[in-house]
Amino acid sequence: MQTVYLSLGSNIGDKQAYLQEAVNLLGQNSAVLIEKKSKVYQTSPVGGVPQDDFVNMALKLSTTLEAETLLEVIHDIEVKLNRVRAVHWGPRTIDIDILFYGTEKLREEHLTIPHKELFNRLFVLIPLMDILEEGFEYEKQVKQAISKLDGTEQKVIEIPEEKTARKRIEDAVRDILMAVGEDPEREGLLETPERVAKMYEEILSSQKLLDFEEYKLFKIEATEQEQSILIKDIPFYSMCEHHMLPFFGTANVAYIPKDGNIIGLSKIPRLVNYVSRKLSVQENITRDIAEILNDILQPKGVAVVVEARHMCIEMRGVKKGNSQTRTSFFLGEFEENREMRLEFLESLT
């Protein structure tokens, strides 16, 4: 087994939740044993890119994995947690770096150990010091680097470790139950907070996703007059961002291919699911489906019509049951060509 020290950071969304999930995913690997976690720190960003403060921590673990294999595992975890490697030193949901791999020294194309920035980053050194094994070869060098950087513009502040996202939802549901006059301890409600937390994880599963990636493009023979492709009555379920009540209905999506580029038919319902599984409003869902499809395919035109029932209308307020709301969004030839737009709308009747 090899002793490894890692640095973890996040500065997008629910930062501590990303750190906690990264630790969980590392611990699920049978070749990795997590031994110690540092305290959690709020740290100022470096690199000159305008962005929010980071939350950082360090891990000590033992592993039978080679350094390069461990790096692959780390990159897989970053992908699962929606890490986007777009801007160097830029904002990211999760950043995991190998600081030390035992006492080995590596200078590979994609891996330098000890990490080349280690002794220049206070936000790495202070969490590392929490868990560094006494007598470790680099202990003196770590302490010297902390002393040298102390008082510089790099700000590192210890903050309380938050509960997991699921636990925070469970606690909030218990508070709501008590606030409306219920008893969270009665038999019928004992498991309700846990069930509600799991439900939100499922029905709001796109909330932390940055991009739609569940698609594949295909090439067909291009023609001068390419016909439109329409998928009707795609069911969807979403949650209104105003009242956090459900709204649901169907989406109708059409596009006109350009240069023979098409998307797999099953991917359009996946796109509808992706857009709807977050807090939103119907107008945004309609527009987002069209704009994402347009970005992916660059077609000649896109048309989207969404029809839905809203529980914030039917259960509260005006209480008008079975009322339907229709929204539409057009791009390209569907927006510019009235005849083509009418033909699309007539196909829905």
Side-chain angles (χ1 to χ4, degrees):
M1 297 285 280
Q2 189 67 269
T3 297
V4 178
Y5 291 95
L6 303 180
S7 174
L8 294 83
S10 174
N11 78 329
I12 294 177
D14 196 343
K15 304 170 190 177
Q16 289 205 35
Y18 282 120
L19 296 185
Q20 291 162 354
E21 185 59 22
V23 173
N24 291 339
L25 290 171
L26 278 166
Q28 289 173 16
N29 190 304
S30 60
V32 173
L33 175 64
I34 295 174
E35 296 188 0
K36 283 186 180 180
K37 295 193 304 180
S38 75
K39 300 169 187 172
V40 181
Y41 295 87
Q42 180 176 304
T43 68
S44 57
V46 298
V49 179
Q51 56 188 309
D52 196 6
D53 285 349
F54 276 80
V55 172
N56 289 91
M57 64 180 296
L59 282 183
K60 178 186 177 184
L61 54 87
S62 295
T63 183
T64 56
L65 299 175
E66 296 294 329
E68 291 82 358
T69 306
L70 177 61
L71 184 63
E72 292 175 6
V73 170
I74 286 170
H75 284 171
D76 287 343
I77 290 173
E78 289 178 334
V79 169
K80 285 180 182 177
L81 298 180
N82 310 308
R83 163 68 187 262
V84 177
R85 295 177 177 273
V87 180
H88 187 58
W89 295 117
R92 44 217 182 265
T93 57
I94 191 70
D95 189 23
I96 309 174
D97 291 310
I98 301 174
L99 304 178
F100 296 116
Y101 184 83
T103 57
E104 288 193 21
K105 297 178 177 65
L106 294 176
R107 292 292 183 272
E108 304 293 338
E109 183 180 356
H110 301 295
L111 181 60
T112 300
I113 298 176
H115 193 282
K116 59 185 177 182
E117 295 289 345
L118 166 60
F119 298 108
N120 299 320
R121 305 302 180 196
L122 201 58
F123 64 81
V124 173
L125 294 164
I126 288 181
L128 175 62
M129 201 62 219
D130 286 348
I131 59 173
L132 199 63
E133 187 178 328
E134 189 173 349
F136 185 69
E137 179 180 348
Y138 291 96
E139 181 184 13
K140 183 177 179 180
Q141 196 172 347
V142 169
K143 289 180 177 179
Q144 288 174 341
I146 291 173
S147 179
K148 178 182 176 182
L149 294 170
D150 192 28
T152 65
E153 62 181 11
Q154 295 185 38
K155 303 299 181 184
V156 181
I157 303 169
E158 182 184 342
I159 58 175
E161 184 172 355
E162 294 178 352
K163 299 174 184 177
T164 65
R166 180 180 290 187
K167 185 66 169 63
R168 290 180 354 237
I169 294 173
E170 290 177 11
D171 290 347
V173 172
R174 288 189 185 92
D175 287 343
I176 291 171
L177 289 171
M178 288 188 288
V180 299
E182 265 291 0
D183 176 12
E185 300 304 316
R186 74 174 174 86
E187 186 175 354
L189 294 176
L190 281 175
E191 297 179 7
T192 295
E194 182 181 355
R195 285 192 289 260
V196 172
K198 289 180 179 178
M199 176 197 70
Y200 278 133
E201 286 180 358
E202 179 181 348
I203 66 176
L204 301 178
S205 58
S206 293
Q207 197 73 41
K208 294 181 180 180
L209 300 180
L210 300 179
D211 297 296
F212 174 64
E213 297 177 342
E214 288 189 81
Y215 67 88
K216 186 175 182 180
L217 303 184
F218 300 91
K219 196 83 172 178
I220 60 172
E221 184 178 351
T223 60
E224 288 186 9
Q225 291 187 332
E226 292 178 284
Q227 296 180 337
S228 65
I229 297 170
L230 167 65
I231 300 185
K232 293 174 59 176
D233 300 326
I234 304 167
F236 78 92
Y237 302 86
S238 192
M239 293 285 281
C240 170
E241 64 185 33
H242 296 153
H243 298 96
M244 291 185 71
L245 283 171
F247 65 98
F248 56 92
T250 57
N252 305 277
V253 183
Y255 72 93
I256 305 169
K258 182 179 179 182
D259 300 327
N261 294 317
I262 63 171
I263 189 171
L265 292 178
S266 67
K267 308 311 177 187
I268 293 179
R270 287 181 186 272
L271 171 58
V272 173
N273 285 342
Y274 166 80
V275 169
S276 60
R277 287 177 180 170
K278 61 179 73 174
L279 293 175
S280 189
V281 293
Q282 183 174 332
E283 295 85 345
N284 288 347
I285 285 179
T286 310
R287 184 196 64 230
D288 288 349
I289 293 170
E291 290 184 341
I292 293 172
L293 187 59
N294 192 60
D295 289 343
I296 291 170
L297 271 176
Q298 297 295 307
K300 292 180 179 178
V302 177
V304 178
V305 168
V306 173
E307 294 182 321
R309 292 174 56 189
H310 294 250
M311 292 303 98
C312 57
I313 293 175
E314 299 191 25
M315 293 177 65
R316 56 161 299 282
V318 294
K319 298 184 178 67
K320 296 298 181 183
N322 295 315
S323 62
Q324 293 273 343
T325 301
R326 172 182 276 210
T327 50
S328 59
F329 197 89
F330 305 101
L331 291 170
E333 292 191 12
F334 282 109
E335 181 182 21
E336 299 161 4
N337 189 322
R338 181 175 181 273
E339 190 174 309
M340 185 171 291
R341 186 167 63 251
L342 289 175
E343 181 182 338
F344 164 73
L345 293 172
E346 288 173 1
S347 70
L348 304 183
T349 58

